[in-house]
Amino acid sequence: MKPVLGIAGYVLREALSRKFILAFLVGITLVLAVVALSLRIEVVDGALAASRLFGEELKNSIRSVDVALRPVYQAAAFLVFYGGILFGIVACSDFAPSLMSPGRIEHLLALPLQRWHLLAGTFLGVMTLALGGTLYGTTGLVLIFGVKAGYWTAGPLIAGLLACVGFAAVYAVMLTTATLVRSAALCAASGFVALVGGIIAGYRQDLTPFFEEGLGRQAFRAVTLVLPRLSSLAVAGGDIAASTPLEVRSLGMLLLGVLVFGFGALAVGFWRFEGKDY
């Protein structure tokens, strides 16, 4: 495990040297600052009396503050989920190809490391970045709304963790792509394809009737059966953030499916990397 942690630390140092972590934190802090400074909430006896956003008064009937804030938490959960994954795809697409660039990969393989240590450490380092950014952003959101409205909930935090699980499946595909082609652009493209495929897979039951009976419908069902249902995970995150009943039948099975897909993609990457000549 120590070699894996060493490679993960190497990825984090690489991110730090590129000012990536600083830009990451500054971006999240600016978003939180805009929300904190532009939102005004007046709460009377646990009910929302008035609210302003960017100086404009929002039309709100008198409701308990937890009910009034549900749409806000739901929107924040979707923003964290899809925005976080998109940002992660763009920002992390270069880590694995850079690690496997000519000269560097030969140097790393000359060290007393096994090949799977390199992939596992890269995956762990990137997920540490994603988890740290998610916890920072969602904790800030919880604090802002908790202080302004007096309503405290860990829902956005849990929704952020679900977003990390979704990104893990997407980055597993990107890392496996890096073992096939050392291209940051193609890694990012594979991440986008995995994200869009995961969104479509979450709505496979609704989309299936649009395909005519036959080979096309069977192929659509077969492909979307394998893909992680990311849109369903995003909906579950929104429900948890808003403290509303879950629309998905089983959150545990949904998470298991996403994780199995991610580990499967990683297994393909490990197998390909072990047999590759450098």
Side-chain angles (χ1 to χ4, degrees), residues 95-143:
F95 283 124
S98 174
L99 198 74
M100 299 175 191
S101 61
R104 180 175 289 186
I105 187 64
E106 287 82 359
H107 169 71
L108 289 171
L109 291 177
L111 298 174
L113 296 170
Q114 296 186 32
R115 292 194 174 199
W116 71 269
H117 290 157
L118 297 177
L119 287 192
T122 304
F123 183 79
L124 182 62
V126 169
M127 288 312 302
T128 301
L129 280 175
L131 182 63
T134 301
L135 290 178
Y136 178 63
T138 53
T139 301
L141 199 64
V142 168
L143 290 174

mmCIF file of all heavy atoms in Angstrom, residues 95-143:
data_model
loop_
_atom_site.group_PDB
_atom_site.id
_atom_site.type_symbol
_atom_site.label_atom_id
_atom_site.label_comp_id
_atom_site.label_asym_id
_atom_site.label_seq_id
_atom_site.Cartn_x
_atom_site.Cartn_y
_atom_site.Cartn_z
ATOM 1 N N PHE A 95 -3.329 14.115 -16.154
ATOM 2 C CA PHE A 95 -2.478 13.489 -15.131
ATOM 3 C C PHE A 95 -1.912 12.146 -15.601
ATOM 4 O O PHE A 95 -0.700 11.925 -15.564
ATOM 5 C CB PHE A 95 -3.250 13.299 -13.833
ATOM 6 C CG PHE A 95 -3.413 14.564 -13.052
ATOM 7 C CD1 PHE A 95 -4.657 15.015 -12.690
ATOM 8 C CD2 PHE A 95 -2.313 15.331 -12.682
ATOM 9 C CE1 PHE A 95 -4.819 16.196 -11.985
ATOM 10 C CE2 PHE A 95 -2.457 16.507 -11.977
ATOM 11 C CZ PHE A 95 -3.716 16.943 -11.621
ATOM 12 N N ALA A 96 -2.788 11.226 -16.024
ATOM 13 C CA ALA A 96 -2.316 9.892 -16.412
ATOM 14 C C ALA A 96 -1.446 9.931 -17.680
ATOM 15 O O ALA A 96 -0.362 9.329 -17.693
ATOM 16 C CB ALA A 96 -3.506 8.946 -16.594
ATOM 17 N N PRO A 97 -1.855 10.624 -18.767
ATOM 18 C CA PRO A 97 -0.967 10.691 -19.941
ATOM 19 C C PRO A 97 0.392 11.301 -19.613
ATOM 20 O O PRO A 97 1.414 10.889 -20.163
ATOM 21 C CB PRO A 97 -1.750 11.573 -20.922
ATOM 22 C CG PRO A 97 -3.172 11.385 -20.542
ATOM 23 C CD PRO A 97 -3.155 11.263 -19.047
ATOM 24 N N SER A 98 0.398 12.296 -18.702
ATOM 25 C CA SER A 98 1.662 12.916 -18.320
ATOM 26 C C SER A 98 2.546 11.930 -17.551
ATOM 27 O O SER A 98 3.764 11.873 -17.757
ATOM 28 C CB SER A 98 1.375 14.153 -17.463
ATOM 29 O OG SER A 98 2.570 14.697 -16.977
ATOM 30 N N LEU A 99 1.924 11.129 -16.690
ATOM 31 C CA LEU A 99 2.673 10.135 -15.918
ATOM 32 C C LEU A 99 3.283 9.075 -16.832
ATOM 33 O O LEU A 99 4.347 8.523 -16.539
ATOM 34 C CB LEU A 99 1.743 9.468 -14.900
ATOM 35 C CG LEU A 99 2.403 8.737 -13.736
ATOM 36 C CD1 LEU A 99 2.964 9.740 -12.737
ATOM 37 C CD2 LEU A 99 1.389 7.836 -13.038
ATOM 38 N N MET A 100 2.597 8.803 -17.944
ATOM 39 C CA MET A 100 3.064 7.756 -18.864
ATOM 40 C C MET A 100 3.820 8.330 -20.059
ATOM 41 O O MET A 100 4.009 7.643 -21.057
ATOM 42 C CB MET A 100 1.857 6.954 -19.368
ATOM 43 C CG MET A 100 1.098 6.251 -18.261
ATOM 44 S SD MET A 100 -0.389 5.452 -18.859
ATOM 45 C CE MET A 100 -1.195 5.018 -17.305
ATOM 46 N N SER A 101 4.218 9.569 -19.971
ATOM 47 C CA SER A 101 4.934 10.192 -21.089
ATOM 48 C C SER A 101 6.314 9.556 -21.238
ATOM 49 O O SER A 101 6.893 9.036 -20.271
ATOM 50 C CB SER A 101 5.072 11.698 -20.851
ATOM 51 O OG SER A 101 5.806 11.925 -19.665
ATOM 52 N N PRO A 102 6.879 9.558 -22.467
ATOM 53 C CA PRO A 102 8.206 8.963 -22.702
ATOM 54 C C PRO A 102 9.249 9.588 -21.776
ATOM 55 O O PRO A 102 9.301 10.797 -21.589
ATOM 56 C CB PRO A 102 8.485 9.316 -24.170
ATOM 57 C CG PRO A 102 7.132 9.492 -24.778
ATOM 58 C CD PRO A 102 6.278 10.088 -23.698
ATOM 59 N N GLY A 103 10.064 8.759 -21.206
ATOM 60 C CA GLY A 103 11.098 9.227 -20.289
ATOM 61 C C GLY A 103 10.637 9.090 -18.845
ATOM 62 O O GLY A 103 11.303 8.433 -18.038
ATOM 63 N N ARG A 104 9.475 9.634 -18.536
ATOM 64 C CA ARG A 104 8.974 9.555 -17.156
ATOM 65 C C ARG A 104 8.525 8.143 -16.809
ATOM 66 O O ARG A 104 8.821 7.647 -15.735
ATOM 67 C CB ARG A 104 7.823 10.548 -16.968
ATOM 68 C CG ARG A 104 7.244 10.525 -15.576
ATOM 69 C CD ARG A 104 6.194 11.586 -15.372
ATOM 70 N NE ARG A 104 6.780 12.925 -15.319
ATOM 71 C CZ ARG A 104 6.093 14.015 -15.031
ATOM 72 N NH1 ARG A 104 4.802 13.925 -14.757
ATOM 73 N NH2 ARG A 104 6.670 15.188 -14.991
ATOM 74 N N ILE A 105 7.806 7.496 -17.735
ATOM 75 C CA ILE A 105 7.307 6.157 -17.427
ATOM 76 C C ILE A 105 8.471 5.163 -17.305
ATOM 77 O O ILE A 105 8.450 4.282 -16.432
ATOM 78 C CB ILE A 105 6.288 5.686 -18.500
ATOM 79 C CG1 ILE A 105 5.649 4.364 -18.087
ATOM 80 C CG2 ILE A 105 6.919 5.575 -19.870
ATOM 81 C CD1 ILE A 105 4.837 4.426 -16.843
ATOM 82 N N GLU A 106 9.507 5.324 -18.142
ATOM 83 C CA GLU A 106 10.661 4.438 -18.033
ATOM 84 C C GLU A 106 11.355 4.638 -16.681
ATOM 85 O O GLU A 106 11.811 3.672 -16.052
ATOM 86 C CB GLU A 106 11.654 4.700 -19.169
ATOM 87 C CG GLU A 106 11.210 4.203 -20.535
ATOM 88 C CD GLU A 106 10.265 5.152 -21.240
ATOM 89 O OE1 GLU A 106 9.930 6.204 -20.645
ATOM 90 O OE2 GLU A 106 9.834 4.864 -22.365
ATOM 91 N N HIS A 107 11.433 5.890 -16.248
ATOM 92 C CA HIS A 107 12.051 6.184 -14.949
ATOM 93 C C HIS A 107 11.246 5.546 -13.809
ATOM 94 O O HIS A 107 11.815 4.934 -12.894
ATOM 95 C CB HIS A 107 12.136 7.694 -14.761
ATOM 96 C CG HIS A 107 12.516 8.110 -13.367
ATOM 97 N ND1 HIS A 107 13.774 7.922 -12.858
ATOM 98 C CD2 HIS A 107 11.776 8.676 -12.363
ATOM 99 C CE1 HIS A 107 13.822 8.361 -11.607
ATOM 100 N NE2 HIS A 107 12.620 8.826 -11.288
ATOM 101 N N LEU A 108 9.924 5.674 -13.875
ATOM 102 C CA LEU A 108 9.076 5.125 -12.809
ATOM 103 C C LEU A 108 9.144 3.605 -12.775
ATOM 104 O O LEU A 108 9.174 2.990 -11.701
ATOM 105 C CB LEU A 108 7.629 5.590 -13.007
ATOM 106 C CG LEU A 108 7.363 7.074 -12.736
ATOM 107 C CD1 LEU A 108 5.953 7.464 -13.167
ATOM 108 C CD2 LEU A 108 7.562 7.400 -11.252
ATOM 109 N N LEU A 109 9.175 2.992 -13.978
ATOM 110 C CA LEU A 109 9.218 1.533 -14.028
ATOM 111 C C LEU A 109 10.566 0.981 -13.570
ATOM 112 O O LEU A 109 10.671 -0.192 -13.202
ATOM 113 C CB LEU A 109 8.918 1.048 -15.453
ATOM 114 C CG LEU A 109 7.478 1.266 -15.921
ATOM 115 C CD1 LEU A 109 7.305 0.826 -17.371
ATOM 116 C CD2 LEU A 109 6.497 0.516 -15.028
ATOM 117 N N ALA A 110 11.600 1.827 -13.582
ATOM 118 C CA ALA A 110 12.907 1.390 -13.095
ATOM 119 C C ALA A 110 12.964 1.364 -11.569
ATOM 120 O O ALA A 110 13.868 0.748 -10.988
ATOM 121 C CB ALA A 110 13.995 2.324 -13.634
ATOM 122 N N LEU A 111 12.003 2.021 -10.936
ATOM 123 C CA LEU A 111 11.947 2.037 -9.472
ATOM 124 C C LEU A 111 11.341 0.720 -8.969
ATOM 125 O O LEU A 111 10.676 0.002 -9.729
ATOM 126 C CB LEU A 111 11.095 3.227 -9.002
ATOM 127 C CG LEU A 111 11.614 4.620 -9.390
ATOM 128 C CD1 LEU A 111 10.601 5.693 -9.002
ATOM 129 C CD2 LEU A 111 12.960 4.900 -8.730
ATOM 130 N N PRO A 112 11.547 0.394 -7.710
ATOM 131 C CA PRO A 112 10.960 -0.857 -7.179
ATOM 132 C C PRO A 112 9.448 -0.745 -6.996
ATOM 133 O O PRO A 112 8.922 -0.739 -5.872
ATOM 134 C CB PRO A 112 11.693 -1.031 -5.836
ATOM 135 C CG PRO A 112 12.088 0.346 -5.433
ATOM 136 C CD PRO A 112 12.397 1.075 -6.710
ATOM 137 N N LEU A 113 8.755 -0.590 -8.105
ATOM 138 C CA LEU A 113 7.293 -0.460 -8.094
ATOM 139 C C LEU A 113 6.702 -1.494 -9.041
ATOM 140 O O LEU A 113 7.300 -1.823 -10.063
ATOM 141 C CB LEU A 113 6.860 0.935 -8.574
ATOM 142 C CG LEU A 113 7.258 2.142 -7.734
ATOM 143 C CD1 LEU A 113 6.944 3.421 -8.498
ATOM 144 C CD2 LEU A 113 6.504 2.131 -6.406
ATOM 145 N N GLN A 114 5.540 -1.987 -8.706
ATOM 146 C CA GLN A 114 4.799 -2.822 -9.644
ATOM 147 C C GLN A 114 3.926 -1.911 -10.497
ATOM 148 O O GLN A 114 3.542 -0.810 -10.076
ATOM 149 C CB GLN A 114 3.951 -3.842 -8.888
ATOM 150 C CG GLN A 114 4.786 -4.828 -8.101
ATOM 151 C CD GLN A 114 3.932 -5.925 -7.481
ATOM 152 O OE1 GLN A 114 2.910 -6.333 -8.024
ATOM 153 N NE2 GLN A 114 4.366 -6.389 -6.322
ATOM 154 N N ARG A 115 3.596 -2.388 -11.670
ATOM 155 C CA ARG A 115 2.848 -1.518 -12.585
ATOM 156 C C ARG A 115 1.491 -1.107 -12.044
ATOM 157 O O ARG A 115 1.045 0.014 -12.257
ATOM 158 C CB ARG A 115 2.690 -2.228 -13.938
ATOM 159 C CG ARG A 115 4.009 -2.381 -14.661
ATOM 160 C CD ARG A 115 3.794 -2.764 -16.099
ATOM 161 N NE ARG A 115 5.059 -2.766 -16.826
ATOM 162 C CZ ARG A 115 5.157 -2.696 -18.141
ATOM 163 N NH1 ARG A 115 4.058 -2.639 -18.881
ATOM 164 N NH2 ARG A 115 6.316 -2.692 -18.741
ATOM 165 N N TRP A 116 0.820 -2.011 -11.341
ATOM 166 C CA TRP A 116 -0.508 -1.667 -10.842
ATOM 167 C C TRP A 116 -0.425 -0.571 -9.783
ATOM 168 O O TRP A 116 -1.395 0.158 -9.548
ATOM 169 C CB TRP A 116 -1.240 -2.905 -10.323
ATOM 170 C CG TRP A 116 -0.703 -3.464 -9.027
ATOM 171 C CD1 TRP A 116 0.250 -4.414 -8.881
ATOM 172 C CD2 TRP A 116 -1.118 -3.108 -7.708
ATOM 173 N NE1 TRP A 116 0.474 -4.684 -7.562
ATOM 174 C CE2 TRP A 116 -0.361 -3.904 -6.810
ATOM 175 C CE3 TRP A 116 -2.052 -2.219 -7.180
ATOM 176 C CZ2 TRP A 116 -0.511 -3.808 -5.427
ATOM 177 C CZ3 TRP A 116 -2.210 -2.127 -5.802
ATOM 178 C CH2 TRP A 116 -1.446 -2.911 -4.948
ATOM 179 N N HIS A 117 0.751 -0.450 -9.129
ATOM 180 C CA HIS A 117 0.939 0.633 -8.155
ATOM 181 C C HIS A 117 0.764 1.997 -8.824
ATOM 182 O O HIS A 117 0.196 2.913 -8.228
ATOM 183 C CB HIS A 117 2.350 0.563 -7.542
ATOM 184 C CG HIS A 117 2.541 -0.604 -6.626
ATOM 185 N ND1 HIS A 117 3.785 -1.126 -6.353
ATOM 186 C CD2 HIS A 117 1.658 -1.362 -5.927
ATOM 187 C CE1 HIS A 117 3.676 -2.148 -5.520
ATOM 188 N NE2 HIS A 117 2.390 -2.307 -5.249
ATOM 189 N N LEU A 118 1.259 2.122 -10.071
ATOM 190 C CA LEU A 118 1.196 3.402 -10.772
ATOM 191 C C LEU A 118 -0.248 3.804 -11.061
ATOM 192 O O LEU A 118 -0.661 4.951 -10.817
ATOM 193 C CB LEU A 118 1.987 3.328 -12.081
ATOM 194 C CG LEU A 118 3.492 3.079 -11.941
ATOM 195 C CD1 LEU A 118 4.139 2.957 -13.310
ATOM 196 C CD2 LEU A 118 4.140 4.208 -11.160
ATOM 197 N N LEU A 119 -1.021 2.842 -11.583
ATOM 198 C CA LEU A 119 -2.419 3.165 -11.905
ATOM 199 C C LEU A 119 -3.239 3.391 -10.645
ATOM 200 O O LEU A 119 -4.031 4.345 -10.560
ATOM 201 C CB LEU A 119 -3.032 2.034 -12.730
ATOM 202 C CG LEU A 119 -2.577 1.899 -14.181
ATOM 203 C CD1 LEU A 119 -3.479 0.930 -14.926
ATOM 204 C CD2 LEU A 119 -2.577 3.244 -14.884
ATOM 205 N N ALA A 120 -3.065 2.506 -9.663
ATOM 206 C CA ALA A 120 -3.847 2.651 -8.431
ATOM 207 C C ALA A 120 -3.491 3.954 -7.714
ATOM 208 O O ALA A 120 -4.374 4.651 -7.178
ATOM 209 C CB ALA A 120 -3.594 1.454 -7.507
ATOM 210 N N GLY A 121 -2.202 4.324 -7.703
ATOM 211 C CA GLY A 121 -1.794 5.564 -7.054
ATOM 212 C C GLY A 121 -2.325 6.788 -7.779
ATOM 213 O O GLY A 121 -2.751 7.764 -7.148
ATOM 214 N N THR A 122 -2.315 6.747 -9.126
ATOM 215 C CA THR A 122 -2.871 7.871 -9.896
ATOM 216 C C THR A 122 -4.358 8.022 -9.619
ATOM 217 O O THR A 122 -4.859 9.142 -9.409
ATOM 218 C CB THR A 122 -2.650 7.635 -11.403
ATOM 219 O OG1 THR A 122 -1.256 7.435 -11.639
ATOM 220 C CG2 THR A 122 -3.129 8.814 -12.215
ATOM 221 N N PHE A 123 -5.063 6.894 -9.612
ATOM 222 C CA PHE A 123 -6.504 6.938 -9.333
ATOM 223 C C PHE A 123 -6.765 7.492 -7.932
ATOM 224 O O PHE A 123 -7.639 8.359 -7.748
ATOM 225 C CB PHE A 123 -7.087 5.523 -9.466
ATOM 226 C CG PHE A 123 -8.568 5.451 -9.283
ATOM 227 C CD1 PHE A 123 -9.425 5.811 -10.311
ATOM 228 C CD2 PHE A 123 -9.114 5.034 -8.082
ATOM 229 C CE1 PHE A 123 -10.799 5.755 -10.141
ATOM 230 C CE2 PHE A 123 -10.479 4.976 -7.901
ATOM 231 C CZ PHE A 123 -11.328 5.329 -8.930
ATOM 232 N N LEU A 124 -5.992 7.026 -6.959
ATOM 233 C CA LEU A 124 -6.180 7.479 -5.576
ATOM 234 C C LEU A 124 -5.873 8.978 -5.440
ATOM 235 O O LEU A 124 -6.588 9.714 -4.746
ATOM 236 C CB LEU A 124 -5.283 6.668 -4.647
ATOM 237 C CG LEU A 124 -5.394 6.971 -3.144
ATOM 238 C CD1 LEU A 124 -6.810 6.669 -2.644
ATOM 239 C CD2 LEU A 124 -4.374 6.155 -2.349
ATOM 240 N N GLY A 125 -4.807 9.439 -6.108
ATOM 241 C CA GLY A 125 -4.454 10.858 -6.028
ATOM 242 C C GLY A 125 -5.528 11.753 -6.611
ATOM 243 O O GLY A 125 -5.909 12.768 -6.013
ATOM 244 N N VAL A 126 -6.047 11.380 -7.779
ATOM 245 C CA VAL A 126 -7.107 12.184 -8.416
ATOM 246 C C VAL A 126 -8.378 12.175 -7.563
ATOM 247 O O VAL A 126 -9.033 13.213 -7.391
ATOM 248 C CB VAL A 126 -7.391 11.653 -9.836
ATOM 249 C CG1 VAL A 126 -8.657 12.290 -10.409
ATOM 250 C CG2 VAL A 126 -6.210 11.945 -10.747
ATOM 251 N N MET A 127 -8.720 11.014 -7.015
ATOM 252 C CA MET A 127 -9.941 10.953 -6.201
ATOM 253 C C MET A 127 -9.768 11.730 -4.899
ATOM 254 O O MET A 127 -10.740 12.261 -4.359
ATOM 255 C CB MET A 127 -10.297 9.488 -5.908
ATOM 256 C CG MET A 127 -10.819 8.722 -7.113
ATOM 257 S SD MET A 127 -12.118 9.597 -8.025
ATOM 258 C CE MET A 127 -13.354 9.838 -6.765
ATOM 259 N N THR A 128 -8.538 11.816 -4.383
ATOM 260 C CA THR A 128 -8.292 12.638 -3.193
ATOM 261 C C THR A 128 -8.558 14.114 -3.507
ATOM 262 O O THR A 128 -9.164 14.845 -2.703
ATOM 263 C CB THR A 128 -6.844 12.459 -2.704
ATOM 264 O OG1 THR A 128 -6.617 11.083 -2.409
ATOM 265 C CG2 THR A 128 -6.572 13.284 -1.461
ATOM 266 N N LEU A 129 -8.116 14.548 -4.696
ATOM 267 C CA LEU A 129 -8.399 15.922 -5.123
ATOM 268 C C LEU A 129 -9.902 16.163 -5.232
ATOM 269 O O LEU A 129 -10.432 17.186 -4.763
ATOM 270 C CB LEU A 129 -7.755 16.170 -6.490
ATOM 271 C CG LEU A 129 -6.266 16.488 -6.527
ATOM 272 C CD1 LEU A 129 -5.802 16.573 -7.976
ATOM 273 C CD2 LEU A 129 -5.990 17.797 -5.811
ATOM 274 N N ALA A 130 -10.594 15.218 -5.888
ATOM 275 C CA ALA A 130 -12.044 15.367 -6.092
ATOM 276 C C ALA A 130 -12.784 15.390 -4.754
ATOM 277 O O ALA A 130 -13.683 16.222 -4.539
ATOM 278 C CB ALA A 130 -12.562 14.230 -6.962
ATOM 279 N N LEU A 131 -12.387 14.488 -3.846
ATOM 280 C CA LEU A 131 -13.061 14.420 -2.547
ATOM 281 C C LEU A 131 -12.801 15.683 -1.724
ATOM 282 O O LEU A 131 -13.723 16.236 -1.105
ATOM 283 C CB LEU A 131 -12.570 13.181 -1.786
ATOM 284 C CG LEU A 131 -13.213 12.932 -0.420
ATOM 285 C CD1 LEU A 131 -14.715 12.683 -0.579
ATOM 286 C CD2 LEU A 131 -12.566 11.727 0.276
ATOM 287 N N GLY A 132 -11.559 16.165 -1.737
ATOM 288 C CA GLY A 132 -11.240 17.383 -0.982
ATOM 289 C C GLY A 132 -12.020 18.582 -1.486
ATOM 290 O O GLY A 132 -12.577 19.350 -0.694
ATOM 291 N N GLY A 133 -12.077 18.747 -2.822
ATOM 292 C CA GLY A 133 -12.824 19.870 -3.384
ATOM 293 C C GLY A 133 -14.309 19.775 -3.093
ATOM 294 O O GLY A 133 -14.958 20.781 -2.778
ATOM 295 N N THR A 134 -14.846 18.568 -3.173
ATOM 296 C CA THR A 134 -16.279 18.383 -2.906
ATOM 297 C C THR A 134 -16.620 18.693 -1.456
ATOM 298 O O THR A 134 -17.612 19.384 -1.171
ATOM 299 C CB THR A 134 -16.681 16.931 -3.238
ATOM 300 O OG1 THR A 134 -16.396 16.670 -4.605
ATOM 301 C CG2 THR A 134 -18.157 16.717 -2.988
ATOM 302 N N LEU A 135 -15.799 18.190 -0.539
ATOM 303 C CA LEU A 135 -16.067 18.444 0.886
ATOM 304 C C LEU A 135 -15.949 19.939 1.202
ATOM 305 O O LEU A 135 -16.751 20.486 1.963
ATOM 306 C CB LEU A 135 -15.085 17.638 1.753
ATOM 307 C CG LEU A 135 -15.294 16.126 1.756
ATOM 308 C CD1 LEU A 135 -14.230 15.443 2.609
ATOM 309 C CD2 LEU A 135 -16.681 15.767 2.287
ATOM 310 N N TYR A 136 -14.958 20.606 0.598
ATOM 311 C CA TYR A 136 -14.788 22.040 0.835
ATOM 312 C C TYR A 136 -16.001 22.827 0.327
ATOM 313 O O TYR A 136 -16.548 23.685 1.034
ATOM 314 C CB TYR A 136 -13.514 22.514 0.131
ATOM 315 C CG TYR A 136 -13.242 23.993 0.259
ATOM 316 C CD1 TYR A 136 -13.001 24.569 1.500
ATOM 317 C CD2 TYR A 136 -13.230 24.816 -0.866
ATOM 318 C CE1 TYR A 136 -12.762 25.929 1.615
ATOM 319 C CE2 TYR A 136 -12.980 26.171 -0.759
ATOM 320 C CZ TYR A 136 -12.752 26.726 0.480
ATOM 321 O OH TYR A 136 -12.518 28.078 0.601
ATOM 322 N N GLY A 137 -16.442 22.518 -0.906
ATOM 323 C CA GLY A 137 -17.560 23.257 -1.493
ATOM 324 C C GLY A 137 -18.882 22.999 -0.784
ATOM 325 O O GLY A 137 -19.618 23.936 -0.452
ATOM 326 N N THR A 138 -19.191 21.732 -0.534
ATOM 327 C CA THR A 138 -20.487 21.416 0.079
ATOM 328 C C THR A 138 -20.536 21.826 1.550
ATOM 329 O O THR A 138 -21.586 22.259 2.035
ATOM 330 C CB THR A 138 -20.795 19.913 -0.045
ATOM 331 O OG1 THR A 138 -19.692 19.161 0.479
ATOM 332 C CG2 THR A 138 -21.029 19.515 -1.475
ATOM 333 N N THR A 139 -19.400 21.720 2.248
ATOM 334 C CA THR A 139 -19.391 22.185 3.647
ATOM 335 C C THR A 139 -19.603 23.700 3.704
ATOM 336 O O THR A 139 -20.344 24.198 4.573
ATOM 337 C CB THR A 139 -18.049 21.819 4.320
ATOM 338 O OG1 THR A 139 -17.864 20.416 4.268
ATOM 339 C CG2 THR A 139 -18.043 22.260 5.775
ATOM 340 N N GLY A 140 -18.993 24.426 2.775
ATOM 341 C CA GLY A 140 -19.217 25.868 2.721
ATOM 342 C C GLY A 140 -20.675 26.202 2.468
ATOM 343 O O GLY A 140 -21.240 27.119 3.077
ATOM 344 N N LEU A 141 -21.304 25.429 1.588
ATOM 345 C CA LEU A 141 -22.728 25.656 1.284
ATOM 346 C C LEU A 141 -23.600 25.393 2.508
ATOM 347 O O LEU A 141 -24.527 26.164 2.805
ATOM 348 C CB LEU A 141 -23.138 24.723 0.141
ATOM 349 C CG LEU A 141 -24.397 25.081 -0.635
ATOM 350 C CD1 LEU A 141 -24.216 26.403 -1.366
ATOM 351 C CD2 LEU A 141 -24.729 23.976 -1.621
ATOM 352 N N VAL A 142 -23.298 24.317 3.203
ATOM 353 C CA VAL A 142 -24.062 23.996 4.418
ATOM 354 C C VAL A 142 -23.914 25.110 5.454
ATOM 355 O O VAL A 142 -24.894 25.528 6.090
ATOM 356 C CB VAL A 142 -23.576 22.647 5.006
ATOM 357 C CG1 VAL A 142 -24.135 22.440 6.408
ATOM 358 C CG2 VAL A 142 -23.982 21.500 4.101
ATOM 359 N N LEU A 143 -22.694 25.627 5.609
ATOM 360 C CA LEU A 143 -22.456 26.699 6.586
ATOM 361 C C LEU A 143 -23.191 27.983 6.190
ATOM 362 O O LEU A 143 -23.790 28.657 7.043
ATOM 363 C CB LEU A 143 -20.954 26.968 6.698
ATOM 364 C CG LEU A 143 -20.126 25.876 7.381
ATOM 365 C CD1 LEU A 143 -18.635 26.202 7.297
ATOM 366 C CD2 LEU A 143 -20.547 25.725 8.838
#
